[in-house]
Amino acid sequence: MNNKLHISREYLIQQLKQMLRIRHFEEKCAELYAQEKIRGFLHLYIGEEAIAVGVMSALTPEDEIVATYREHGHALARGLSMGSILAEMYGRTNGCSRGRGGSMHLFDKERKFYGGNAIVGGGLPLAAGLAMANKKKQGSAVTVCFFGEGAVAEGEFHESLNLAALWGLPVLFICENNSYAMGTALALSESETNIAKKAESYGIRSRQVDGMNVVEVEAATQEAIDYIRSNKQPCFLECQTYRFRGHSSFDGQLYRDKKEIAQWEAKGPVKRLVQWLRDNNHFEEAELDPIENEIQLEIEEAIRFSENGELEPLADLCKDVYSPTQEQPLAEKSSSQTLTYREALRAGIEEALIKDERVFLMGEDVGRYGGCYGVSKGLFDSFGADRIIDTPLCESGFVGVGIGAALGGMRPIVEVMTVNFSLLAMDQIVNTAATLRHMSGGQLNVPVVFRMACGAGKQLAAQHSHSWENLYAHIPGLKILSPATHTDARHMLGQALADPDPVILFEHVMLLNEEGEMEDKPAAPMTKALVRKEGSDLSLISYGGSLKKALAAADQLAAQGISAEVVDLRCLRPLDKTTILQSVDKTHRAIIIDEGWYTGSLAGEVSAIIMEEGFWSLDAPVKRVCTKEVPIPYPAHLEQAALPQIESIVHIATRLMSGQ
């Protein structure tokens, strides 16, 4: 495609109209905010209109957009109706995200507008993931990612640029450099203020652009898009611009001089284009009136559309937290084999890769090294670097890429080496994967699976011995699985990949070398708890690495004449309340065994369910056996003393049965 623009009088007037639509819409939004018809944060795009209009003019309908929290202009320029955008800010169901996202979270799946992101820099890895999906599907689409210069200080910026360059991803990064992240000038936060140079350091073709000149922005974008499509490499544009209003509607702008604002306003994108048209005899003052009138009518109609929109009924409060799912019937078990838990995990990954070409495994050292715990050993040789992808040490980056790839139609398995490393990616998991379906009004699914090694017992001390299932089980939008048996280790991954929502599998490190029987069919739907041992006197409720201890305790109790039922939770969000309560209704006593710390543990949540919904079935208080409230010690005797043990389960059960 020729990157020279066909500039005609009519075309430039159309570009002027698009910028004026954004300008006047934003001005009206400021008025409506003052009237408290729009709430939350409001970030206005006034002064930056040339970037949105210039960039969007160079894109095709198949190209994808990831925006920022200042995205009204991007959405209008992409073709979202003014009414649907304003209705979203009104919180009405006829908004583009059904009123679930508000000003900072505009989504339109049909227009491939993947929304704003309230987390600074949070959209960068997401865009890289969408671009990865496009590359894997061998499509020609380019993903365009907008962000402000404040994001340059975030780790996601550097991680995403590195991954895009390393993997040759078709993504165009657009930095809207308006000089102030919030109230701190760029020169006070960056040792190198030439952001394009930073991108160049990653080997990405980069340039600075006058972001107040719509023609220059469009020409630079078209050139970059052509380069990306031809060379299968990312590009970077730093658009130098200025926001005429504050960071948000709460901003008093005490950090910048009024003279500075006036200087930038004098060379604003609307004024500049109007002046050029006048100087070249392409524009008469009278021509502006019908354009302004047309925009005013559009704004008035958008207000009517928004104010006539319905508020979502309270009955739909929890709608679109999860996708509609339908459990598939399970085939009868036919055979079993003996193998280690590690081998069962590997078999599950291998089957998933064979069954679905969209599936790939990604993580630190999962390929040539074979995985930190040897789970993926040999898979690289069988499936190659395109399906078994070694990543740099950048958890937030590659986890975000996995989420973006899932949005783009792939089925990623993202391995986070150990659960403690997941804190570096918690923003992407909690703020993006868990929320996108809800904030988009049900438009977007995130079918990604995260695998995390967890648990103590290997003398790895306080930073590598965590059981943080409860942290993630606290988050609506996520599904949390804890396979404790070899059959679950083998089959839960496949069930998770078939699910349209984000799923985390916690794999306990102390199980990896354990040998056991593995059935060749799943034991049950992944969200169902199972009774692993029938009993009548009390219920031992556990999951993951503690299940084996609960079963051993049940055997010791049986020798004392106490019949203990053992319940394996398996799925920690959503919890299978029915199975828990049915067991307690039968035994009238419950002990929950949980390797998490006592305070704030998942055991506390299960105990609360029993107390709230099964209180009248109880003959004794619910008890918990949890890890002592201390960072996991290194010495073996102290580590074991901190963790739940068979003896402590038996001791508490014996006292409970004796009425103590």
Side-chain angles (χ1 to χ4, degrees), residues 8-24 49-50 53-54 57 212 214-215 218 268-278 282-292 295:
S8 64
R9 174 184 182 279
E10 291 73 19
Y11 185 78
L12 290 177
I13 290 177
Q14 181 62 27
Q15 297 296 75
L16 174 62
K17 178 181 176 181
Q18 292 305 314
M19 289 195 292
L20 283 170
R21 287 180 70 238
I22 297 171
R23 174 70 59 89
H24 293 322
E49 299 90 348
V53 173
S57 298
M212 306 303 246
V214 67
V215 174
E218 183 176 355
V270 174
K271 285 184 178 179
R272 179 176 292 191
L273 183 53
V274 169
Q275 189 61 48
W276 188 91
L277 287 166
R278 285 172 178 161
H282 290 312
F283 191 73
E284 297 291 338
E285 193 69 36
E287 293 182 85
L288 197 57
D289 290 339
I291 294 175
E292 300 269 16
I295 294 170

Side-chain angles (χ1 to χ4, degrees), residues 47-68:
E48 304 182 46
E49 299 90 348
I51 302 174
V53 173
V55 171
M56 298 300 176
S57 298
L59 305 183
T60 71
E62 295 306 309
D63 295 326
E64 301 162 331
I65 295 94
V66 175
T68 72

Side-chain angles (χ1 to χ4, degrees), residues 512-543:
L512 290 169
N513 293 325
E514 294 283 340
E515 285 197 345
E517 292 294 311
M518 183 195 78
E519 303 289 343
D520 66 353
K521 302 295 180 185
M526 71 179 194
T527 57
K528 182 171 175 53
L530 290 176
V531 175
R532 298 294 188 182
K533 179 180 175 62
E534 297 280 352
S536 57
D537 292 331
L538 81 161
S539 299
L540 302 179
I541 302 170
S542 191
Y543 65 91

Side-chain angles (χ1 to χ4, degrees), residues 413-451:
I413 306 169
V414 182
E415 178 179 306
V416 179
M417 189 180 289
T418 67
V419 67
N420 51 288
F421 292 165
S422 75
L423 291 191
L424 297 168
M426 203 167 189
D427 168 50
Q428 289 293 327
I429 297 170
V430 172
N431 279 321
T432 302
T435 62
L436 279 178
R437 177 170 179 81
H438 180 77
M439 288 197 306
S440 69
Q443 294 180 75
L444 304 177
N445 292 342
V446 187
V448 61
V449 176
F450 305 107
R451 295 177 47 245

Side-chain angles (χ1 to χ4, degrees), residues 45 54 69 142 149 217 267 294 337 458 617 621 639 660:
Y45 200 63
Y69 48 78
V142 172
E149 84 291 337
V217 171
K267 55 182 178 181
E294 183 180 343
Q337 58 178 308
K458 288 185 173 291
S617 297
E639 181 181 37
Q660 298 182 47

Side-chain angles (χ1 to χ4, degrees), residues 370-406:
C372 175
Y373 294 99
V375 171
S376 56
K377 189 174 182 179
L379 295 180
F380 183 85
D381 294 335
S382 299
F383 295 95
D386 190 51
R387 305 285 302 283
I388 310 295
I389 303 173
D390 283 318
T391 70
L393 307 183
C394 60
E395 284 80 6
S396 188
F398 70 72
V399 164
V401 166
I403 295 167

